[in-house]
Amino acid sequence: MTRYSHPQGHVFYRKMNHPRPKIAYGKGIYLFDEDGKRYIDGSGGPLVVNVGHGRTEVVEAIAKQAQAIAYAHAIMFTSEPAEQLSNELAKIVPLPEARFFYLSSGSEVVEAAIKLARQIQMARGENGRYLVISRWRSYHGMSLGALSVTGKLGMRHPFLSMVHDMPHIDPPYPYRDPISGIEAANRLESAILAAGPMNVAAFIAEPISGASLGALSPTGDYWPRIREICDQYGVLFIADEVLVGMGRTGKWWGIQHWPIEPDIMVTSKGLAGGYYPLGFLAAKGSDVEQIRQTLGDFNHGGTFSHHAVGTAAGLATLRIMQAENLVENAANMGAYLGQKLQQVFGDHPNIGDIRGRGLFWALEIVQDRETKKPFSVKRHVAWEIWERTFDRGLVVYYSQGCADGTNGDLIMLGPPLIVNKTQIDEMVEILADAVIEQFG
Ligand SMILES: Cc1ncc(COP(=O)(O)O)c(C=O)c1O
């Protein structure tokens, strides 16, 4: 297999000592490199590829829109796809009379959500509220504002002196911290009281934790108690659905697994399925209206916001999701994937926990199942398993740090939502081979 490394070209990547093959094309759940090697796209990169690769409907929608008009500044024009996508999304997001603001990535919509929370509070006359509480072992984005609420230590560390650090609370983690959801949620109340409720604008969290904690759901009482606390102290709840939104977990939105609603929602990755960089910030119509009446405008913008081609890609992706019942398929195939993983890895001495919802599953790898002791981060266990699966033609997602912020290895699966049982069988078989080779 031809692999390209840094010294060979003028591109530089995040992972620098990792030669990579050149991608040629994709079809359905498969990727093909320039040597013709086939890979099952078992995670769509970081959980992006919802409708599969090579979807003519999306490609044609992009081409048609680019031909008609690729770009017109959103301060001066609206566009048909931006209006239509918003009308469709308003029917499925759990926000009354929802309003949508489009940007190009998860980090950007998180930044925008933080600024929106501040402006909703200002419009309510709560000018002192500026703090956004978040959780450790979370990821909310690469930009400095998003990093200030991110809880992943390695990504924050070099830049901490450059950001306004925000208060963080410990996340719920039933596998390692078996307290009740209420107790875990009450950490938010303590943080609000410590900061002074009059200073707190919002709480941001992933309804189901993404890459940092690996498809982790809190127990059933966690989110209702969080909602109660937010209401009691006038704190807005921002649901970061960047990774778990758009049907990934078998419901349109991760938060819909619990009987509560957020105040602000963001999503990105699956929104345009990887065909275009697109994310949205969504808010209640009443809050947006109050900003309009009180502050005049929403103080935030970007050159590429509300992009006509991006929203056309999002609309075409959404139509495929609806026509092919992919949320339902995520629920059904996800249940099957979960069973397979339990069957194959349920007794493995190095797999401590198997968790997930819909088509987002994680294996937490440990040295010892009894003590739940993680491998040292320096062993790079998740990375080694990732490499073994990659060589065998399966692309999975991995991360480190779940156990204590530094150590703790995760291997994650999140195939396109079009996946079928035979393809799931093959994925699990390849992963099992890689795990056997890793641990013997
Ligand atoms: C929950 C969550 N929020 C925000 C982001 C940032 O998104 P992006 O990488 O598109 O900027 C990510 C990315 O992994 C994420 O998982």
Side-chain angles (χ1 to χ4, degrees):
M1 185 202 322
T2 316
R3 286 199 179 192
Y4 295 82
S5 59
H6 281 271
Q8 279 174 284
H10 290 278
V11 187
F12 78 102
Y13 289 98
R14 172 177 168 188
K15 205 159 178 58
M16 294 194 140
N17 295 312
H18 165 57
R20 34 179 71 71
K22 198 182 275 177
I23 192 71
Y25 64 97
K27 192 79 205 146
I29 70 154
Y30 303 106
L31 295 164
F32 297 86
D33 71 20
E34 66 172 357
D35 294 334
K37 177 173 169 177
R38 192 199 80 165
Y39 308 76
I40 298 178
D41 197 355
S43 70
L47 290 294
V48 170
V49 183
N50 273 13
V51 296
H53 298 284
R55 298 300 304 246
T56 312
E57 306 92 310
V58 188
V59 176
E60 281 177 353
I62 289 173
K64 200 168 153 205
Q65 184 58 47
Q67 183 68 60
I69 175 68
Y71 181 81
H73 199 242
I75 224 159
M76 301 158 196
F77 294 97
T78 187
S79 70
E80 186 58 24
E83 296 292 334
Q84 268 196 43
L85 177 59
S86 307
N87 290 344
E88 290 304 314
L89 288 170
K91 296 175 194 159
I92 56 171
V93 299
L95 293 167
E97 288 295 310
R99 299 286 185 270
F100 298 88
F101 192 101
Y102 298 94
L103 290 158
S104 312
S105 69
S107 304
E108 287 179 55
V109 287
V110 165
E111 290 279 340
I114 290 171
K115 288 196 191 169
L116 176 66
R118 166 88 178 129
Q119 290 176 72
I120 291 174
Q121 295 289 8
M122 287 165 66
R124 290 178 183 176
E126 298 274 356
N127 287 305
R129 291 183 184 260
Y130 71 103
L131 292 171
V132 179
I133 299 175
S134 64
R135 304 190 303 192
W136 293 118
R137 282 172 276 174
S138 62
Y139 183 64
H140 295 293
M142 63 189 165
S143 52
L144 293 178
L147 266 188
S148 72
V149 292
T150 282
K152 210 165 159 41
L153 298 180
M155 309 210 64
R156 289 160 52 84
H157 184 70
F159 313 108
L160 257 186
S161 54
M162 303 167 73
V163 304
H164 181 103
D165 198 15
M166 293 283 182
H168 290 63
I169 59 172
D170 277 329
Y173 198 166
Y175 172 61
R176 290 188 178 275
D177 183 20
I179 58 172
S180 73
I182 304 273
E183 284 171 280
N186 283 342
R187 291 168 178 156
L188 176 60
E189 183 173 43
S190 306
I192 292 173
L193 292 174
M198 74 299 276
N199 298 316
V200 182
F203 172 59
I204 183 167
E206 303 158 76
I208 296 170
S209 290
S212 313
L213 281 172
L216 188 147
S217 287
T219 52
D221 43 1
Y222 180 80
W223 285 118
R225 176 66 187 135
I226 290 282
R227 183 69 266 179
E228 218 171 76
I229 295 167
C230 287
D231 289 342
Q232 184 179 347
Y233 295 101
V235 170
L236 299 164
F237 168 38
I238 305 171
D240 182 344
E241 299 258 1
V242 165
L243 191 147
V244 297
M246 290 309 294
R248 172 56 55 188
T249 67
K251 292 189 186 282
W252 276 108
W253 312 106
I255 198 63
Q256 289 177 318
H257 291 278
W258 293 271
I260 69 146
E261 289 174 1
D263 299 293
I264 296 173
M265 238 177 81
V266 291
T267 198
S268 180
K269 297 175 188 285
L271 179 58
Y275 287 84
Y276 203 90
L278 184 70
F280 75 57
L281 159 69
K284 295 175 184 169
S286 54
D287 284 329
V288 174
E289 181 56 18
Q290 195 172 13
I291 288 178
R292 190 179 73 81
Q293 286 183 12
T294 314
L295 307 179
D297 290 316
F298 175 46
N299 189 346
H300 189 67
T303 300
F304 294 115
S305 77
H306 306 81
H307 201 280
V309 178
T311 47
L315 184 60
T317 305
L318 181 64
R319 288 198 169 132
I320 294 177
M321 298 271 307
Q322 288 168 329
E324 299 181 6
N325 299 317
L326 294 187
V327 182
E328 207 181 322
N329 198 54
N332 295 336
M333 289 303 107
Y336 181 72
L337 174 58
Q339 278 165 21
K340 288 290 296 186
L341 292 172
Q342 287 292 352
Q343 251 170 37
V344 173
F345 297 105
D347 295 324
H348 193 287
N350 297 104
I351 307 297
D353 196 26
I354 301 169
R355 53 182 180 254
R357 276 183 198 255
L359 278 170
F360 180 32
W361 282 84
L363 304 180
E364 182 165 339
I365 296 154
V366 290
Q367 278 197 53
D368 180 328
R369 270 167 75 112
E370 292 307 310
T371 62
K372 303 183 180 174
K373 187 175 181 208
F375 285 98
S376 157
V377 65
K378 295 190 185 117
R379 291 276 305 272
H380 299 295
V381 170
W383 169 249
E384 284 176 13
I385 296 173
W386 181 89
E387 278 209 302
R388 293 181 203 285
T389 59
F390 194 81
D391 290 345
R392 287 169 164 79
L394 169 67
V395 188
V396 297
Y397 199 44
Y398 77 97
S399 83
Q400 291 190 292
C402 61
D404 57 14
T406 306
N407 307 293
D409 295 272
L410 291 168
I411 291 290
M412 288 164 279
L413 291 170
L417 309 186
I418 53 169
V419 74
N420 63 38
K421 284 188 178 173
T422 316
Q423 293 166 332
I424 287 175
D425 290 345
E426 192 182 350
M427 280 169 46
V428 176
E429 212 171 285
I430 296 175
L431 183 56
D433 270 3
V435 169
I436 288 167
E437 191 182 74
Q438 178 76 26
F439 296 114

